[in-house]
Amino acid sequence: MEVGQLQERFVDYTKSLFCEGFLDDQFLQLQQLQDESNPDFVVEVVSLFFEDSEKLLNDLTKTLDQQFVDYKRVDAQVHQLKGSSSSIGAQRVKNACIGFRNFCEEQNIEGCLRCLHQVKQEYSLVKNKLQTLFRLEQQIVAAGGAIPMVE
Amino acid sequence: MDSATENLRGSFLYQLFDSMDLNLESDGNQNEQEQQKRHLHVLAVDDSHIDRKLLERLLTVSSYQVTCVDSGDKALEYLGLLENTDNDSTTSCSSSCCTSSSSLSPQQEASKVNLIMTDYSMPGMSGYDLLKRVKESSWKNVPVVVMSSENVPSRINMCLEGGAEQFLLKPVKLSDLRELQSHILNPLSNSCKHFDDSFVDDNTNNGSHSCKHFDDSFVDDNTNNGNDNNDNDSDKKNNNSNKRKAMSPDCSERRPKITELVVL
């Protein structure tokens, strides 16, 4: 595929991620912080997010699996996940965390487990989408093109 | 030298201008501002790795020099405010720090912190605790900005009354830093308080005076929400306006002080 087509695909794909609410304005902020001196900034931050999130989700699964659930700990972890997803613009993950915290407050195990499931799903989706996006970027660069800015 | 001038010389901003060799009569164009900022060293405190990375990049792009630490304790250590301030402590600090390049030694760098930006919710020492410790120390004239992902008016007021320069809602954006910069770099245009003798001595009173203004506006904005949880989409609009209010002090509250201007 030639550069122009790849770039068009990239723009369309990026726009769809915003339309479908996977990403919000904060992701654009991240892109604005990337330049020639820091060409991999977005990928680096998102990779940190992946690492962080996977650890948190594993931890959450364990914490909620205990006989006596430490809801304070659950809440702290969800708060962390909410913060990091918000920082990279992963809107749907962030929103899933908001609901999650409400169930923590109520110490509602059923609600918490449902939310954990939902957060895991949203995380998995956005991870997939972002990896696809990065692959498209790599293809454009490999074909000698520049990555278009999407407003 | 009279005591009024003594007080002024002790003020952070006086030292800042002194060190920057600033021509106070100039218009402060873009270039000059950039130069001023390169002299400014920010100590960023956040337990989140992602947020530290983000903040470090935001500040670097905005031409500040940055040092990041991951806790309030490390921040105090860096500022030399912990009980055991031997040289070893600075090396343990650097392993969890990211520092933009500088030819100064850690001690020299620490002696030049011009702004502290700290997250509010951190395990152990909170951003508020750090704020109080700084304001009770020899670093009390350094502005402290508190950041939080949660829009809790009582928290915001508490921090402002505790002496915080600004309260920013996360995620912090470039535009937030631009507003912050104009507040910290251009005290002449924003308010005359820095030349006010009583302000230098009486920091907390003036802080709470301007906070009363925030207080009222927060109450007004948040009564419309009708729920305890500030984290929903319908709140976003209010979030933004609260955030703006937290960030842009109404100078009219401070202007009356102009009559108490100390003439240099």
Side-chain angles (χ1 to χ4, degrees):
Chain A
M1 206 181 287
E2 51 104 34
V3 179
Q5 280 180 294
L6 285 169
Q7 287 171 326
E8 209 181 297
R9 221 197 211 187
F10 173 81
V11 170
D12 288 340
Y13 194 69
T14 307
K15 283 189 179 160
S16 75
L17 294 184
F18 283 95
C19 281
E20 290 163 31
F22 286 104
L23 298 177
D24 64 26
D25 186 61
Q26 179 60 16
F27 190 77
L28 291 176
Q29 288 281 316
L30 288 189
Q31 291 180 319
Q32 282 180 31
L33 292 172
Q34 184 163 288
D35 61 20
E36 311 79 49
S37 69
N38 254 255
D40 300 317
F41 178 71
V42 181
V43 171
E44 284 169 8
V45 179
V46 172
S47 302
L48 272 179
F49 169 68
F50 291 160
E51 270 175 48
D52 233 25
S53 303
E54 267 146 51
K55 244 183 265 163
L56 282 168
L57 288 170
N58 282 335
D59 232 349
L60 274 166
T61 309
K62 280 197 204 104
T63 313
L64 284 170
D65 204 29
Q66 302 299 307
Q67 198 188 4
F68 298 106
V69 175
D70 183 352
Y71 285 101
K72 267 208 150 129
R73 186 185 164 87
V74 176
D75 186 68
Q77 288 169 333
V78 176
H79 173 72
Q80 237 187 298
L81 185 56
K82 177 177 154 254
S84 56
S85 56
S86 165
S87 292
I88 70 143
Q91 189 176 250
R92 280 162 62 152
V93 177
K94 178 189 81 175
N95 289 339
C97 289
I98 293 169
F100 200 153
R101 292 190 81 191
N102 289 335
F103 285 118
C104 282
E105 240 177 286
E106 295 169 20
Q107 303 207 350
N108 180 337
I109 187 67
E110 294 293 327
C112 283
L113 288 170
R114 271 202 309 274
C115 282
L116 177 61
H117 179 72
Q118 201 197 349
V119 172
K120 280 180 174 173
Q121 269 193 317
E122 291 299 346
Y123 167 73
S124 175
L125 280 169
V126 82
K127 178 174 179 179
N128 206 280
K129 305 274 178 189
L130 286 169
Q131 286 177 327
T132 304
L133 193 67
F134 293 145
R135 259 199 306 276
L136 275 172
E137 282 188 352
Q138 284 171 342
Q139 285 177 314
I140 293 174
V141 170
I147 298 162
M149 280 295 280
V150 183
E151 291 303 312
Chain B
M1 195 183 300
D2 65 14
S3 61
T5 322
E6 273 287 331
N7 285 336
L8 283 171
R9 284 186 73 101
S11 86
F12 144 69
L13 279 147
Y14 194 98
Q15 287 171 343
L16 183 63
F17 296 143
D18 224 7
S19 68
M20 295 193 306
D21 213 358
L22 186 63
N23 177 3
L24 292 177
E25 281 155 35
S26 78
D27 282 334
N29 60 36
Q30 185 75 358
N31 224 351
E32 199 163 304
Q33 284 204 345
E34 291 301 311
Q35 280 184 35
Q36 290 169 20
K37 278 187 289 184
R38 253 170 245 131
H39 292 269
L40 296 182
H41 180 203
V42 182
L43 177 65
V45 191
D46 201 316
D47 61 311
S48 157
H49 192 174
I50 291 172
D51 287 346
R52 273 200 308 282
K53 190 171 171 77
L54 201 49
L55 200 52
E56 192 244 357
R57 187 72 194 134
L58 279 166
L59 289 166
T60 305
V61 157
S62 306
S63 304
Y64 297 94
Q65 196 195 327
V66 195
T67 299
C68 299
V69 296
D70 63 8
S71 72
D73 281 314
K74 296 257 174 69
L76 290 178
E77 201 175 22
Y78 187 79
L79 296 169
L81 293 177
L82 284 187
E83 268 68 73
N84 50 332
T85 50
D86 55 356
N87 287 340
D88 288 345
S89 66
T90 53
T91 49
S92 68
C93 202
S94 57
S95 57
S96 56
C97 288
C98 51
T99 318
S100 52
S101 64
S102 157
S103 54
L104 300 172
S105 71
Q107 289 88 341
Q108 285 176 304
E109 280 201 31
S111 72
K112 281 190 64 196
V113 170
N114 304 114
L115 168 66
I116 297 169
M117 292 186 73
T118 179
D119 185 26
Y120 179 88
S121 328
M122 297 188 290
M125 186 182 294
S126 75
Y128 178 74
D129 297 329
L130 178 62
L131 166 70
K132 295 303 280 179
R133 288 290 295 270
V134 167
K135 290 299 168 186
E136 289 160 8
S137 76
S138 52
W139 296 95
K140 63 178 182 289
N141 288 324
V142 174
V144 179
V145 170
V146 181
M147 307 169 285
S148 175
S149 57
E150 294 172 308
N151 185 358
V152 181
S154 57
R155 173 186 296 183
I156 297 172
N157 286 334
M158 183 178 74
C159 289
L160 292 173
E161 280 173 24
E165 191 75 22
Q166 304 277 25
F167 191 100
L168 297 179
L169 288 177
K170 282 177 158 186
V172 176
K173 303 186 199 305
L174 278 170
S175 54
D176 296 329
L177 289 188
R178 278 197 287 271
E179 286 197 44
L180 185 65
Q181 153 211 326
S182 68
H183 184 68
I184 289 182
L185 274 185
N186 298 324
L188 291 174
S189 52
N190 274 358
S191 78
C192 297
K193 67 181 166 120
H194 306 293
F195 295 95
D196 181 355
D197 203 357
S198 63
F199 175 78
V200 173
D201 283 336
D202 227 5
N203 233 333
T204 45
N205 281 348
N206 281 5
S208 59
H209 179 59
S210 61
C211 275
K212 287 195 174 55
H213 174 75
F214 296 148
D215 233 338
D216 294 337
S217 41
F218 281 128
V219 168
D220 286 342
D221 276 347
N222 277 288
T223 43
N224 292 334
N225 291 350
N227 54 12
D228 289 332
N229 186 352
N230 283 307
D231 296 328
N232 49 49
D233 278 343
S234 65
D235 200 48
K236 228 190 153 98
K237 209 173 99 189
N238 282 331
N239 272 3
N240 287 336
S241 63
N242 279 349
K243 183 179 180 172
R244 259 181 253 121
K245 286 197 169 75
M247 284 177 50
S248 37
D250 181 355
C251 298
S252 64
E253 293 284 289
R254 295 174 183 155
R255 260 184 216 133
K257 304 254 184 286
I258 198 168
T259 58
E260 297 159 52
L261 251 190
V262 175
V263 178
L264 292 175

